[in-house]
Structures are given as structure tokens and as C-alpha cells.
Amino acid sequence: MFKEFIQGLSITLKHLSPKHITTVQYPRVRLQVSDRFRGLHRLVPTQDREKCVACYLCPTVCPAKCITVESAENEKGEKYPKVYQIDMLRCIFCGYCVEACPVEAIEMSGQYELANYKREQFIFDKKRLLETK
Amino acid sequence: MVNLTIDGKQVTVSKTATIYEAAKEAGVDIPVLCYAKKLLPFGACRVCLVEVEQMKGRLIPACTTPATEGMVVTTNSDEIAKVRKTVMEFLLVNHVLDCPVCDKGGECDLQDLTYDFEVNSNRFEGVKFDLPTDEVNPLIERNMNRCVLCGRCVRVCDEIVAYGSYSFINRGFETKIATAFDRGLSCEFCGQCLSMCPVGALLPRPFKFKARPWQLKEVDSVCGYCGNGCTVTLGCKDNQVQTIRFNDKIGVNDGNLCVRGRFGYSYVNRDDRLTTPLVRKDGQLVEASWDEALDAVSSALKDGKAGILSGARLTNEELFLLKNVAKTASASLDHSGGECYKGVTEGLQETLGLASSTGTFPQVEDADVILSIRSDFYETHPVFGMVVNQAVKRNGAKFLVLSDKTGKFNKLPDAQTLLTKPGLEVNVLNAICAALLESGQAKTDGVSGVDEFKSALADYAPAKVSAQTGVPVEAITAAAEQLAGAKKGAILLAYGLPYTAQSKELAIAAANLAILSGLAAQDEAGLYICGEKANSQGAIDLGILPGDGLGAQEQLAAAAKGDLDLLYVIGEDPMTSYPDGAKVEAAINGAKMVVVQDLFLTPTAEQADVVLPAASFAEKDGTFTNAERRIQRVRPGITSPGEAKSDFEIFTSLLGRLGAQVSYTGPQAVFAALAAENGEYAGIDFDAIGPQGVVWGGDKLAPKQQVLVSVSGLQPVEARFQLVTGSALYHSGTTSTRAKGPRAVIDEAYVELGREDAAELGVATDDQVTVKANGNTVKLKAKVDNRLPKGVVFVPNHFAGTGLNKIYQGAASVAVEVTKG
């Protein structure tokens, strides 16, 4: 019994050594998130407009019903999202919208610092989503 | 009947059935793309290939192969699946992959089949088309890059609409669907083609990029325009009717709709709908509370002599409540101008003892002889017109058109036109009766009044009438012969506000002919007298008629004299649509108080003292009775804007204020009450009104009597120009002039001239023309075509502000002066 106790504690002690510390001093130090991290959404721009063609697949697939799209016709007769809005208070970051998108117009960035002071500030409209880095 | 085996299931079907139809009966699903229930078999897409034991060695298209005795069919095997998948790959070779921006996405047959067959890649390569889209017409978007050449649009336009806009052009890979000379589409815009298109090649432009099909709440209701009573499935989103969805599963129209039904819904969404009651204070209409407005109306109803003019687009339940309002307040009550429906209420009553059409619409599809009185019947009831098209084109019915102008009907194959001078239809009908009696073909068993009728017809010998009307004697006698030989004949006549002249006489003449030719006593079809508005028949059934009180015209006369304390106009715009506008204006000015209950601030409402905002058909629950006596459910798809209330609620509040003890829980309770009072509706349960509705009196209404009543026709109007009015195909009443769809095709009144007259006057289309009569002048744009005979001009009656009813005072034809400029 004593032997096992030592064995267990040795792991704990090993991790106390400076070589093994996993905690970082956030916010002074930030971890590099994985490429597959599902953070704040980003709408992909093209040269003159957003890539999104307002096909309504993301609001349809969204389990949290947090995406609002309103399509319209632009001057060139193309379909575009007049309104594209995500309610981050409802979003569960499942990434289904990214998966459903037929034109790869929506991605998920590494941004996870989404805290804010007002409810309205959690509503990300098209402009904000296009500006997401 | 033939017996066959499909996937091991025994099935017995009729001799005319195809393998596809037999499989459907057996509950076996065969994928199809070019097949449509109402169209003839075509076999363009080859998706429905099946294996037949007796025809081993090749696969057989199920949708074109007739089922034969002893056939053993396999609809699914590895080989079939492989071949079908290959067919899909072929179809997808040059189909553009723009599903994300295609409005068909989500209800596209090609998309569904591609998914079903798991066509994830294509072994074949081809060039995707890059053809320009048709941006010329306002209603139907044509994108031929998405077309799979199933030919459904070509066939529906030819077989059912009988317009023939489309055809296949070019060959091989270059094949495409095109209009004449490959110009933009210019047709009657019924949109049948887009309802048939299995892909996104044809789409409704007003609905472009508005929503995905799965986002729409679908509500099955009845079209609020004409008396045809077509089922419309409202596609609602964001409390607006976004589009009308295709639905061939229920209703009397088999999925067919006209331009009004399919594109004329948008008036319900308009921003200028009335949202609050208005009361006139210091000469201005100002917003008021419901209490204030209703108190004003109810006290006027209670204290003074009141006249109520109703429209025929209220539900049966609302009409019943309105009748109670009138009864409680001892007010006079009438509808639709009071004249135009007299053919049904008086004419048919005197001759056949009925007050409605005798058969149902589908019965006309296999009729052998059809007589349409006025070619305008297609304009007033286009979808019933499509039934006639099918009877004539598909089933070879003999078709006679008695009209003062030609139109769509006259262009049907072998249609015989009895072209008469305007207003002389009664004379010609009398002449056909005379010819029937003369040749001894008339069926007079059980018919009373024959001798008097015979002697009264002395003035209408075919030769005499021919000289008077311009219809050849041979045409009259031939018509008589054909009608007498009919095994299943139909006589069609529409009534409505633009057709008030001789409405009673015309209906009697038609009934006489129906009696003498034996049509009235047939087992099916017979005489159809169809109302202009969605619930015209309901208004007659429920007795929205003067009775002992004043009729519409008498009410107007009394109001003009100042004898009426209240004129209460519901769902009508008499200033625009009633004949004799001066009389209406005098009545509006003369009545002490005018109340208008409507959706919009119509020209009549602008003159009113109290305006009550009402609900449109898309916001109501209740029933309509169509022109074939079919009672159908109207269901609300959206809520009324602002404080607008349904007529149902308004009448209930009024009844309460008038002191009547009413506590109806809803339309259901009112329907039960009206069924208890009205013999024909007795025993019909509101909740049991199914998808096909309930036809009161049964599919064929046998005449209660057969009495010939002699009626006299008019004398021809002698003038260089005669004006006739009526309905234009794109509009119905005045409501459709507020809907974007119909307006996109015709957005202002016009005067239609024949080519000969136009050449003589030096007038081209869009030139301004002055029409002068009865001391009034009207300036309108000209429209030149070859529909009208020399000396006849036509002005549609839908548009407000044209002043047409200053010229048109209810006569069948008006002598006018027409000048350029």
C-alpha cells in the first residue's frame, strides 16, 4: 500500500517541477489554439462581397437556431445575404454551419474571448463576422 | 381491367393505366421526372425504367408503357439501379450546380433523385450551359441552364392552358426549350409551367430569393378572386404571404391556377392596408378607436333607415352574421350591385326552379358539346376555362362560342364562333331554340310552357336573327343540331358587375336552351352560371338579397334623394366597379352617413364618414361556396395588420351593440347555425369539409321544374363605335389592381381596338384615345389587336379613376365616339 502511495505522489511531484507546468499566465501568456478549434465564426470575404450566397443551409442545420439569414438580390442579380447574424449567446459552437456550407463561406476562427457587457453585443452581424480575423 | 404483378404484388388496374400508374396503385414507388399526373405520357427522362418479364433484354419506361394482362414487372434490381444512376449522370452532364442559389433547392426533383441514387460523381464530362436568363417578363424567371428537357412546361402550356408558348428548338446537346423566335416569354402568365417544372429552370420571379421551401408555413385555403374556388396553398413566412405553392393533391383545380391566383396574392401584404378605423372629423378622416367607430355605425343602424351593400368575397359565416345585422337593424341588404346575379336568383328560379349551376366543373372535362356564352368566360373563370380546354383538345368536345368578340376560347381547335353584334346574345340563343323547335329536335317531354314559348319565338326565326346579329343561319342551325345531339353537354355563362345588362334575360335564354336541348335533364354537367367573385354563390345561397327591402340600385336611388340615413358598403368599391358612377356618387353624397368596410382606402372609402379596416381572405377562417356549389374551407395563413379585424369580428361586435344575443365561438358555430336555417347546407358539418369540399345538393342538381319562359332580346345599337366592358384576364374585380403580379402585366386601364378601326383612326398601341359618350369623356391608352370586330371597342372595368362607369351605365353596349388624342 505504501509503495503505491509513493508511486502516485511521485507523479504529482514530477508535475510540480518547472519543466512540467501546463498552466500559463493568462492573459499575459496565451496558448496557441489548434487549427480545428471552434471559436467565433468568420464570414469569408471575396474581392467585392461576402462569399456567402444565402442558401439558408446554416440556419437550417443549426441546432441552437442562432443564425438569421435574409437573402436578397444585388445589382448584378446575384443572391446575397442582406442580413447575416449569429446570436453568440445561443451558439453552441458545434460547427455544423461550417460543415453544411456548400461554398465554404463560413469558418470558425480561434477567437474564444467572447465575454461582453451587454446582450446586444453578443449579436454578431454580417459586418462584424466579416471582420473576424 | 387488366391484372399484373409488380414486385410480387398482384394488382388490377384499368386498361388505360400505364405501368407507373399501376405501380402507384400497388403502393410501389417508381422514380419519375418528366411524368405529371395531369399530362399525357411523354417518356423524356428515362428515370422510370423497369424490367418486364415478357420483354426481357431491355428496360421499359414505366410511365409510357401500358399495363397489359399478365405482365410481371420488377421495379428494383441492381441492374435497374445501375441504369437509373447512369441516366442521372447523363442528366447532370450539363446541369449547372447552383443549388445554393437556386430557389428550387429543397423541393427539386432532380436534387432529390441525385440524392436517392447517390450520384456523387459523374463519369461523363460535358460543357455546362451558359445561356442568358429570360429577364424580359415580369413574372416567370426562365433559366435554361437548369433545364433537363422533361417537356412538362411545353406540355402543360399546350394540353391544359392551350396557349402553346413553349417548344423544343435545336437538336442534340443544343436542344432547349424556347418561346417563339426565342424571344422573351409573353403569354397569359398563368404560371402553370413553373408549377410543373421539376427543376429550377422556371421560377416565380416575385418570390425570387425570398425563402427556402422548408421555411414556409403552408396553409391550404381558397383563392379570394373569382367564383372558380381554386385551392391555393399559401406559403407564409414573417406574417406575409410569400408565394402560392403548387398543390395538385386537393381541391377542384387539380393544381391549375391563373395569373391572379398564382401571382395576385401580394395585395394582402401591402403597406397601405387600412390598420385602424377612421372617422371623419371636420371634413378629414382621422384615426379613431374601434369603440368610437363601431358606436357611430351601430347608432346609425339602430336609429335610421339603413342600406347595406355587401361584396361577394365575404365568407358564408360572415354573410350569415351580416344578414343578422341587417335583420336586427331592419336595414335593406343586397350584394354585387343587385343586378348582375338576377339571372341566377330570378332567371333560373323561373325556368328550372334552381338558383345555381347544375353540375360540377370536373364533369365538363369529358363533355361532348360545350357552349360558352361570351368568350369572356375564360377571362372571368380561367381555371374552369382550362377544363374546357382539356375537354376540347384532349377529349374532342364540340365547342361553340357565342360572343361579341373573339378571345382565347375562339382559338381552340375547331371552336365554332357565333360572332354577334354586342348585346344580342339573347337573340341568338332564342334563334337556336327556334331552330331546335323547328327541326323537331327539341326535347319537350315534361316541359311546360312550350306553346307560348313557340309563339313568342316567332320574332326569332334563325333567318331573322341572322340578319340582325350577323351570325350566319347555318351556324345557328348547326349549333342547335349539335346541342340537341349532346349526350353530355354544358352551357357556360358568367355573371358579374361588368355584365349587368340583360343578366336575367340571358340566364333565362340559356336555361330555355338547356331545357330544349335536354342538357338540363342530363345526369351530369348541364347549365353553369358562374359568379364573378369568390363567394358569389354563397351570397345567393345565404340570401344576401333585397327580399322586401331595397335592392342595391334602389338603395343608391334612395340615398341620392336623401332618404337613406346610412349607406354601409362592405368589401365593395361601387365608385369604381358599379355601373353608372354618377348615380353612385350622388348616393354617396346624398346619404347622411356612409360607412365603408374594406382592406384599402378605396375611392368609395375616401368619401366615407367611417372606415372600418377589414381582413383579407388570407386572414380568415370560414367557408366559401364556389360557382359549382362546392363549399370549401378558407384558412388563415397570416394575421391582419394593425388593428384590422375580420368582418366576422366586426359583425359580431355590431350585433352585440344592436342588442342581439349572440355568442358564437367561431366560424364553426356560425356554420352550424346557418346550416340549421338553410335547407341546402343542412347536415353539412364544418369540420367534416374535406380537401375536396362538399358540393351541396350533390354533383348533379336535377331541375325542380322545366318551364320555358320567353324573353326578348335587344335591338342592335347603331353607331360607328360601340363600347363593351368586361373582365380582363389578368384582373378580377378591383382588388387585383392592388396586387403586384397582375399589375406587372397590366397596370392601367386601356381601350382595346380592332386592327381595322385602329388603322382608320390612325391609332397604334399606347397612343392616347378619347372615348366619348353620355356627355362624358374618358382618355385611355389604346391597345390594338385582332380580337375585336369592326366597330367594337373594349375597356376592362377593374381600374379606379378611369371614369369608365361614367360612360358605362349598365347597358350591354354603349354607342361611343372614339377619337385619337
Side-chain angles (χ1 to χ4, degrees), chain B residues 443-497:
Chain B
K443 301 185 176 70
T444 48
D445 293 345
V447 177
S448 48
V450 182
D451 295 330
E452 297 91 316
F453 186 63
K454 244 185 204 168
S455 55
L457 281 187
D459 283 345
Y460 295 96
K464 225 168 178 177
V465 171
S466 171
Q468 191 181 34
T469 62
V471 181
V473 180
E474 307 78 58
I476 294 173
T477 48
E481 205 167 298
Q482 287 184 348
L483 283 164
K487 289 194 179 62
K488 188 176 174 185
I491 297 178
L492 320 177
L493 171 66
Y495 68 86
L497 280 167

Side-chain angles (χ1 to χ4, degrees), chain B residues 86-259:
Chain B
T86 310
V87 169
M88 288 306 296
E89 285 177 85
F90 284 141
L91 284 174
L92 291 167
V93 163
N94 43 25
H95 186 86
V96 288
L97 288 179
D98 53 6
C99 300
V101 292
C102 175
D103 276 338
K104 197 75 176 182
E107 55 173 351
C108 173
D109 288 357
L110 190 70
Q111 206 179 31
D112 293 348
L113 288 175
T114 307
Y115 188 80
D116 285 349
F117 291 123
E118 297 174 356
V119 191
N120 301 323
S121 60
N122 203 335
R123 285 173 287 159
F124 312 104
E125 261 179 50
V127 186
K128 304 276 182 201
F129 286 131
D130 191 18
L131 300 165
T133 53
D134 179 355
E135 308 273 348
V136 183
N137 79 79
L139 295 172
I140 298 168
E141 172 138 319
R142 296 173 60 235
N143 183 340
M144 285 304 116
N145 301 320
R146 295 172 184 158
C147 180
V148 291
L149 300 174
C150 68
R152 264 156 63 157
C153 52
V154 180
R155 289 180 286 149
V156 79
C157 198
D158 174 40
E159 289 172 25
I160 290 174
V161 190
Y163 195 93
S165 268
Y166 298 116
S167 179
F168 289 93
I169 64 162
N170 300 341
R171 307 189 67 172
F173 284 114
E174 303 288 305
T175 311
K176 65 171 185 174
I177 307 283
T179 51
F181 305 104
D182 207 4
R183 290 183 194 142
L185 191 64
S186 169
C187 60
E188 59 182 64
F189 297 115
C190 63
Q192 294 286 84
C193 49
L194 63 88
S195 77
M196 281 285 104
C197 185
V199 293
L202 297 168
L203 290 167
R205 188 182 293 270
F207 182 55
K208 194 177 184 186
F209 301 155
K210 283 270 171 69
R212 285 296 187 188
W214 60 81
Q215 296 175 309
L216 297 170
K217 181 181 82 176
E218 295 191 346
V219 179
D220 296 328
S221 192
V222 178
C223 179
Y225 281 120
C226 78
N228 213 97
C230 300
T231 291
V232 287
T233 300
L234 311 172
C236 308
K237 186 180 164 250
D238 305 331
N239 203 29
Q240 287 200 330
V241 178
Q242 303 281 0
T243 187
I244 300 294
R245 309 276 293 147
F246 175 59
N247 184 354
D248 63 350
K249 308 268 184 319
I250 67 168
V252 70
N253 53 320
D254 210 9
N256 299 331
L257 288 176
C258 68
V259 57

Side-chain angles (χ1 to χ4, degrees), chain B residues 30 79 90 94 131 137 186 190 196 277 366 375 401 426 457 505 513 547 552 595 644 705 744 803:
Chain B
I30 298 177
E79 199 206 336
F90 284 141
N94 43 25
L131 300 165
N137 79 79
S186 169
C190 63
M196 281 285 104
D366 52 359
S375 63
V401 188
V426 173
L457 281 187
E505 288 78 4
L513 183 56
V595 178
Q705 59 185 47

Side-chain angles (χ1 to χ4, degrees), chain B residues 374-397:
Chain B
R374 297 195 197 104
S375 63
D376 288 13
F377 196 86
Y378 191 84
E379 272 85 354
T380 52
H381 296 78
V383 179
F384 189 17
M386 290 177 198
V387 176
V388 175
N389 290 343
Q390 286 175 74
V392 176
K393 287 196 68 154
R394 193 175 289 177
N395 300 329

Side-chain angles (χ1 to χ4, degrees), chain A residues 53 55-56 60 71 73 79 102, chain B residues 100-101 208-209 212 214-215:
Chain A
V53 293
C55 72
Y56 285 100
T60 305
S71 58
E73 192 176 358
K79 197 179 183 186
Chain B
V101 292
K208 194 177 184 186
F209 301 155
R212 285 296 187 188
W214 60 81
Q215 296 175 309

